[in-house]
């Protein structure tokens, strides 16, 4: 354990030079994390157990509808920083730190000019301080200082949404990377005054990394590794919180002919995503979620940095299953897979397989045995 603490002691010395006012919090988080990361503290049973873990996956359809009004309003946002035992993979659990018991946190939707009132409650059974930093804020720390809450405390602040875009928010208590890796990130959309072009369906997808001490695929209760976090070598890559989360019942669904918009963000904390939908081309892509710039057209893959976001629109021209990936494709073998299931009539003028060739291939394979 002593060897594991050294990088964090170095981090604290750096913070002493750069952020002297935050040193007390940095010391608490940095030097105590190895103990806190695996410490057992009592949680209510509704926060999950190893035998009955929570489903922490945020459904891709769990997002607010488009803003449809003329003038600004006041929006109230409530974030509860709940530490839970959740299902990371088949037969494997993990001690997540969450906003509102899901990963990512809630999708917040506003309009330029809106006033947003943020209330953050850190339950008394938490083992950590927590906070929230909104990249959509123009103010000190993005709200992180104002919301730095010890277990049992409630903090808050108010800000005006001045600039349109799709922005990440995340916990910023040192070591912020640990809080983010454990699930504390989400997206806030600030729509332009005129709104966004309408589409048939919208989805909310975020990519993250989880740094476990145990190898990928291990069963049972997995624990976080500070060494792997600092080395930036995650065991799991995830969409919406868990391995292969956006498949099966959680797969994105649509119909042929519909237009789809994906609000995509990277919580990280460390890896850039090369977001790609296998078998589709983005009709429009808004790099870095710049919604007031002209979108790129006919884009195959879009690069999204940690702490960044993008918006992509696509039209579904043929039925079938389309796979969401990071085109750093080794990550697919570590849990980073999603599916978009498109139903409807076949469109042979767009895409068709060759049944005769398939039959000949199958017959040849059979004859070779």
């Amino acid at each position: 354990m002593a060897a594991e603490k050294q990088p964090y002691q170095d981090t604290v010395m750096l913070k002493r030079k750069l952020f002297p006012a935050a040193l007390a919090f940095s010391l608490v988080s940095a030097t105590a994390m190895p103990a806190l990361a695996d410490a057992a503290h009592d949680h209510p049973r509704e926060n999950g157990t190893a035998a009955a873990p929570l489903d922490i996956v945020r459904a891709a359809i769990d997002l607010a509808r488009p803003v449809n009004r003329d003038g600004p309003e006041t929006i109230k946002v409530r974030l509860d920083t709940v530490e839970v035992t959740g299902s990371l993979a088949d037969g494997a659990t993990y001690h997540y730190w969450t906003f509102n018991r899901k990963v990512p946190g809630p999708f917040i939707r506003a309009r330029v000019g809106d006033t947003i009132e943020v209330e953050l409650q850190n339950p008394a059974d938490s083992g950590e301080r927590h906070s929230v930093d909104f990249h959509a804020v123009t103010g000190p720390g993005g709200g992180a200082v104002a919301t730095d809450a010890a277990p049992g405390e409630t903090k808050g602040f108010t800000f005006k949404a001045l600039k349109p875009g799709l922005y990440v928010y995340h916990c910023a208590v040192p070591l912020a990377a640990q809080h983010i890796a454990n699930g504390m990130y989400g997206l806030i959309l600030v729509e332009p005054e005129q709104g966004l072009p309408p589409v048939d369906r919208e989805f909310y997808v975020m990519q993250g990394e989880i740094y476990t001490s145990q190898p990928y695929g291990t069963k049972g209760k997995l624990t976080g590794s500070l060494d792997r976090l600092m080395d930036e070598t995650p065991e799991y890559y995830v969409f919406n919180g868990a391995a292969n989360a956006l498949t099966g019942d959680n797969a994105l669904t649509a119909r042929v002919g519909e237009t789809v918009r994906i609000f995509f963000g990277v919580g990280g904390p460390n890896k850039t995503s090369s977001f790609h939908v296998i078998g589709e081309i983005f009709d429009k892509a808004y790099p870095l979620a710049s919604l007031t710039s002209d979108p790129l057209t006919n884009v195959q893959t879009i690069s999204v940095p940690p702490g960044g976001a993008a918006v992509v629109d696509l039209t579904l021209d043929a039925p079938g299953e389309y796979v969401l990936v990071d085109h750093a494709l080794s990550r697919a073998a570590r849990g980073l897979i999603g599916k978009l299931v498109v139903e409807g009539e076949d469109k042979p003028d767009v895409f068709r397989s060759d049944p005769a060739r398939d039959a000949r291939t199958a017959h040849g394979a059979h004859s070779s045995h």
Side-chain angles (χ1 to χ4, degrees):
M1 185 66 74
E4 200 172 20
K5 287 185 181 181
Q6 185 59 46
Y8 303 94
Q9 292 167 350
D10 294 343
T11 301
V12 170
M13 294 305 295
L14 177 61
K15 289 173 181 171
R16 184 191 301 274
K17 297 176 182 178
L18 298 180
F19 309 109
L23 178 60
F25 294 155
S26 300
L27 282 170
V28 169
S29 235
T31 59
M33 274 191 303
L36 286 172
D38 298 331
H41 34 270
D42 293 332
H43 292 302
R45 291 188 63 83
E46 60 264 26
N47 288 1
T49 65
L54 290 188
D55 176 7
I56 55 81
V57 173
R58 174 80 58 186
I61 57 173
D62 187 8
L63 72 171
R65 297 177 63 84
V67 174
N68 185 20
R69 51 182 162 81
D70 294 328
E73 292 186 356
T74 296
I75 297 174
K76 296 182 183 295
V77 175
R78 166 71 178 269
L79 297 174
D80 294 336
T81 57
V82 189
E83 300 172 13
V84 307
T85 299
S87 179
L88 171 58
D90 185 23
T93 65
Y94 188 74
H95 187 64
Y96 288 89
W97 303 346
T98 74
F99 291 113
N100 298 12
R101 292 185 172 84
K102 293 288 185 180
V103 180
F107 187 90
I108 301 166
R109 198 160 196 157
R111 176 187 178 277
V112 167
D114 284 350
T115 297
I116 302 172
E117 297 179 355
V118 179
E119 180 182 272
L120 181 139
Q121 182 182 59
N122 191 5
D125 59 83
S126 290
E128 293 280 339
R129 305 184 73 92
H130 294 300
S131 69
V132 63
D133 166 6
F134 281 89
H135 291 187
V137 168
T138 51
V145 177
T147 56
D148 192 311
E153 289 186 330
T154 298
K155 299 286 186 72
F157 71 103
T158 300
F159 74 97
K160 177 166 277 193
L162 298 178
K163 298 181 183 295
L166 181 65
Y167 299 98
V168 170
Y169 65 85
H170 60 85
C171 184
V173 170
L175 185 67
Q178 186 191 29
H179 289 249
I180 294 169
N182 284 342
M184 302 191 80
Y185 51 84
L187 290 178
I188 175 171
L189 173 66
V190 180
E191 293 189 8
E193 290 185 2
Q194 71 276 17
L196 296 173
V199 292
D200 295 311
R201 297 178 190 258
E202 295 181 331
F203 298 105
Y204 176 25
V205 179
M206 286 198 79
Q207 181 171 324
E209 308 133 28
I210 297 180
Y211 297 80
T212 61
S213 298
Q214 299 81 8
Y216 179 88
T218 302
K219 305 295 185 182
K221 179 182 177 182
L222 308 188
T223 55
S225 169
L226 295 169
D227 281 343
R228 295 190 70 87
L229 175 62
M230 295 305 289
D231 289 342
E232 301 184 14
T233 53
E235 282 295 317
Y236 288 80
Y237 290 88
V238 297
F239 287 137
N240 289 25
N244 308 312
L246 299 182
T247 61
D249 292 341
N250 283 331
L252 289 61
T253 60
R255 294 195 59 81
V256 170
E258 290 184 327
T259 52
V260 163
R261 174 170 295 142
I262 299 175
F263 296 108
F264 181 76
V266 177
N270 296 314
K271 304 296 186 180
T272 294
S273 174
S274 300
F275 183 58
H276 177 79
V277 178
I278 298 175
E280 265 296 347
I281 299 167
F282 303 140
D283 300 330
K284 297 179 182 178
Y286 298 82
L288 303 179
S290 178
L291 301 181
T292 50
S293 301
D294 290 336
L296 300 178
T297 58
N298 302 327
V299 173
Q300 59 187 318
T301 301
I302 190 164
S303 180
V304 184
V311 180
V312 296
D313 294 353
L314 53 153
T315 303
L316 304 172
D317 297 308
E321 288 192 355
Y322 298 83
V323 182
L324 281 63
V325 295
D326 178 340
H327 218 289
L329 285 172
S330 296
R331 299 172 183 179
R334 291 183 175 271
L336 198 57
I337 288 286
K339 288 190 177 180
L340 169 59
V341 179
V342 180
E343 297 182 343
E345 294 184 4
D346 288 337
K347 298 291 183 179
D349 57 325
V350 175
F351 177 88
R352 70 176 184 273
S353 61
D354 184 342
R357 181 184 297 274
D358 293 344
R360 291 195 300 272
T361 302
H363 177 72
H366 178 75
S367 301
S368 65
H369 287 291

